[in-house]
Amino acid sequence: MDDVRQTDRPGRRTGRAPWSRARAVAAALVVPAVQMLSGCGLLSEGAEVVNVGYQSKTINTVNVGTLMRDRGEFEKALGQLGKSTGKKYRVVWQDFASGAPLTAQMIATHVDIGSMGDYPLLANGSKTKRYSDSETELIATTGYSLRGSLNQVVVPTGSAAHTLADLVGKRVSTSLGSAGDGMFSTALQHNGIDTHAIHIVNQDPSIGASAIDGGQVDALAQFVPWPQLVIFRNQGRLLYDGGDNEVPTFHGVVVRRQFADANHDVMAAFMQAMKTTTDYIVANPLSAALRVSQLTGIEPEVVYLYNGPNGLVSFDMTLKQQLVLAADNVKKFLVARGSVSKDFDVASFINDEYLRELFGPDYERRRADVANASRLTGYDGVCRQPVGDPAEASELWPQGAATTTVAATPTCLLRQVAATAAVRAAYVPDAISHTRLLANHAVWLDDPTAPAMQRYKPFATDAGAEFYRARHPAATPLTYPAAVAQSRSLG
């Protein structure tokens, strides 16, 4: 615990970790004995141990967590490394519900590499900076949404709330310090609502999801995939899309600098394993969704909403400039909250050298590209049109089918649904934001002034539909079943 750090990297500190830190975190840490022994190498039979912290149910970190672990990609990469070094390596995986407890374990040096959302990432960097052996750096992105739609607010299906203002005086479940908490607080500020007028209930995501279903809270403000999971299970509806904050959101990977400096070859193996897993998700989104569902218990239809073509998550490892700028804004919020120190420097926290080593001269091109690598394309045989425009492209997953079919527009999707015996899931883009939605949970409008194949318009929220109606007064609301039935007449 008191090893002296020696490094020739500019701006990196050296020194000894204070012994008082162990007492400061001991009360907050409960680590299973076997996990502790594994982390210390006592059960590793001479192998060098790498401790990886992840969040199994956070869909946009599966490329460094659930799916990477299941596919054994890191172990394979370390096996190849061992052939050249003559060493044995052992990966110890530790699952967390959110970023805060993961950060506590990194402070205690029980986790070497971890993944979490943007708000917890900065809190992680600020808190670990106090200790030379646990100080971290942000080395990669796992998944992101430039619009910010990975964090959302849902209310019970029968709730009378239709705007954030309707939550004044109500109980809202969130995880303090999480990306969902940050999104909700920012949304309240943007809408001129006093945060003290909301009764915040600090709960883990799964507890909050149960609480909204049981009526113990009036709303749930959370990160991926919890809001859409509640919606899919018919326990709630979307009240507010975090994308309306117009702040990009992302999850990323942090590593203890002391560990990374001493194990550059292990970090290179980790980055290669991450790339292999990310490439697999992009190339095989349906298979990946089915497997993640088996591992986590999250319904595959919800997983596919996020990681499918044109999904809510763009899986990309590069540290894009838009995300770096967003991190600066997140810092301002967290400083005001007291979660991050004012002198914390975001720029020195970010280290893209491992990415540059992995991608070589192609890194800058990849970094500048913000198109979702997994795009919905093909040909719509019903409407007889090519599929490709992200603002319109839709997708149908028939019950019992091994593959999905594509539709050129949401209206064309409705026609396919009408002709399908049983539908497992149907996906459409929001008519304004183009955010991917579950068609049967969207708010639908019939706009007779629109072109025939674009007549039926889906929206994520009531507010979005009302915004459209204010500019298209001929548009009228209708239910999803009515939209499906009426679409038949367009044939």
Side-chain angles (χ1 to χ4, degrees):
M1 295 284 283
D2 63 337
D3 291 344
V4 177
R5 290 190 71 229
Q6 302 263 336
T7 177
D8 57 1
R9 286 192 193 175
R12 303 287 171 85
R13 299 178 300 164
T14 61
R16 294 178 180 270
W19 282 97
S20 59
R21 184 268 308 275
R23 293 192 298 271
V25 300
L29 299 174
V30 180
V31 184
V34 173
Q35 190 179 81
M36 285 281 288
L37 291 172
S38 298
C40 296
L42 299 180
L43 301 181
S44 57
E45 299 179 352
E48 295 195 11
V49 174
V50 184
N51 295 285
V52 180
Y54 72 113
Q55 300 173 59
S56 63
K57 294 184 184 298
T58 303
I59 300 302
N60 53 326
T61 62
V62 293
N63 50 344
V64 292
T66 301
L67 208 54
M68 179 193 278
R69 178 182 184 179
D70 179 61
R71 293 175 61 80
E73 298 296 355
F74 192 20
E75 288 83 353
K76 292 175 190 175
L78 289 174
Q80 289 297 316
L81 174 63
K83 292 179 180 179
S84 61
T85 63
K87 299 178 181 178
K88 293 181 179 180
Y89 302 91
R90 181 167 184 248
V91 182
V92 175
W93 297 90
Q94 302 180 39
D95 192 2
F96 296 87
S98 61
L102 201 166
T103 291
Q105 291 287 53
M106 295 193 86
I107 291 175
T109 68
H110 294 147
V111 170
D112 304 311
I113 305 170
S115 57
M116 60 191 75
D118 41 14
Y119 286 77
L121 279 170
L122 295 195
N124 176 286
S126 178
K127 294 179 187 302
T128 61
K129 190 175 177 64
R130 308 171 196 169
Y131 314 109
S132 61
D133 59 349
S134 65
E135 182 181 5
T136 60
E137 57 190 358
L138 174 62
I139 62 170
T141 303
T142 61
Y144 70 92
S145 167
L146 285 186
R147 188 169 183 274
S149 293
L150 300 181
N151 309 304
Q152 299 171 325
V153 182
V154 293
V155 294
T157 305
S159 172
H162 291 280
T163 68
L164 288 175
D166 295 329
L167 297 180
V168 170
K170 304 295 185 181
R171 292 165 57 86
V172 179
S173 173
T174 191
S175 303
L176 291 180
S178 72
D181 172 35
M183 172 277 300
F184 185 56
S185 297
T186 301
L188 293 177
Q189 292 177 11
H190 282 185
N191 287 273
I193 301 171
D194 183 357
T195 55
H196 296 97
I198 308 291
H199 301 297
I200 297 296
V201 182
N202 183 22
Q203 296 176 320
D204 280 345
S206 60
I207 302 300
S210 296
I212 195 172
D213 184 41
Q216 287 88 28
V217 296
D218 301 291
L220 175 73
Q222 275 297 356
F223 52 84
V224 47
W226 296 99
Q228 290 297 327
L229 193 61
V230 168
I231 292 170
F232 179 80
R233 292 174 177 174
N234 296 311
Q235 297 168 349
R237 58 177 170 80
L238 188 64
L239 178 78
Y240 187 84
D241 180 10
D244 291 340
N245 288 347
E246 298 182 350
V247 178
T249 185
F250 66 97
H251 280 61
V253 180
V254 284
V255 62
R256 291 193 302 111
R257 283 177 166 167
Q258 185 183 72
F259 174 85
D261 289 347
N263 299 277
H264 190 91
D265 51 357
V266 171
M267 293 308 303
F270 178 84
M271 297 300 283
Q272 184 57 58
M274 181 179 178
K275 180 179 183 301
T276 301
T277 310
T278 304
D279 290 347
Y280 172 79
I281 295 170
V282 172
N284 306 276
L286 192 61
S287 297
L290 289 168
R291 185 55 182 158
V292 169
S293 174
Q294 291 176 344
L295 296 168
T296 64
I298 299 171
E299 287 85 338
E301 297 88 347
V302 176
V303 180
Y304 195 62
L305 172 69
Y306 287 98
N307 80 341
N310 294 358
L312 293 176
V313 180
S314 292
F315 285 97
D316 188 300
M317 298 172 62
T318 61
L319 290 161
K320 300 185 184 301
Q321 185 63 23
Q322 295 91 332
L323 305 181
V324 174
L325 293 175
D328 281 324
N329 290 327
V330 169
K331 177 197 167 182
K332 295 175 184 176
F333 170 82
L334 292 174
V335 168
R337 268 286 189 88
S339 302
V340 165
S341 61
K342 190 174 182 179
D343 62 352
F344 177 65
D345 182 35
V346 174
S348 65
F349 174 54
I350 296 173
N351 176 16
D352 64 1
E353 69 176 72
Y354 299 107
L355 287 166
R356 292 184 181 279
E357 181 179 316
L358 178 69
F359 293 115
D362 195 37
Y363 178 68
E364 289 298 341
R365 181 196 66 79
R366 287 174 173 264
R367 184 170 182 258
D369 186 359
V370 294
N372 193 329
S374 182
R375 294 191 58 190
L376 195 59
T377 59
Y379 185 79
D380 182 340
V382 174
C383 285
R384 298 184 177 86
Q385 295 181 33
V387 177
D389 181 2
E392 296 283 354
S394 304
E395 189 173 14
L396 175 66
W397 190 353
Q399 190 70 46
T403 59
T404 62
T405 61
V406 295
T409 69
T411 300
C412 294
L413 183 280
L414 294 174
R415 293 179 62 189
Q416 289 191 25
V417 170
T420 303
V423 174
R424 182 166 187 171
Y427 306 96
V428 291
D430 181 286
I432 298 174
S433 68
H434 311 152
T435 302
R436 185 166 158 102
L437 314 170
L438 290 162
N440 62 322
H441 290 284
V443 179
W444 287 88
L445 294 180
D446 174 8
D447 185 358
T449 66
M453 296 307 168
Q454 298 175 341
R455 177 166 177 164
Y456 298 102
K457 306 288 186 180
F459 300 87
T461 62
D462 291 327
E466 288 306 309
F467 180 85
Y468 183 89
R469 287 187 72 192
R471 288 152 181 77
H472 303 83
T476 58
L478 76 169
T479 65
Y480 175 66
V484 172
Q486 292 182 25
S487 71
R488 292 187 176 95
S489 65
L490 296 177

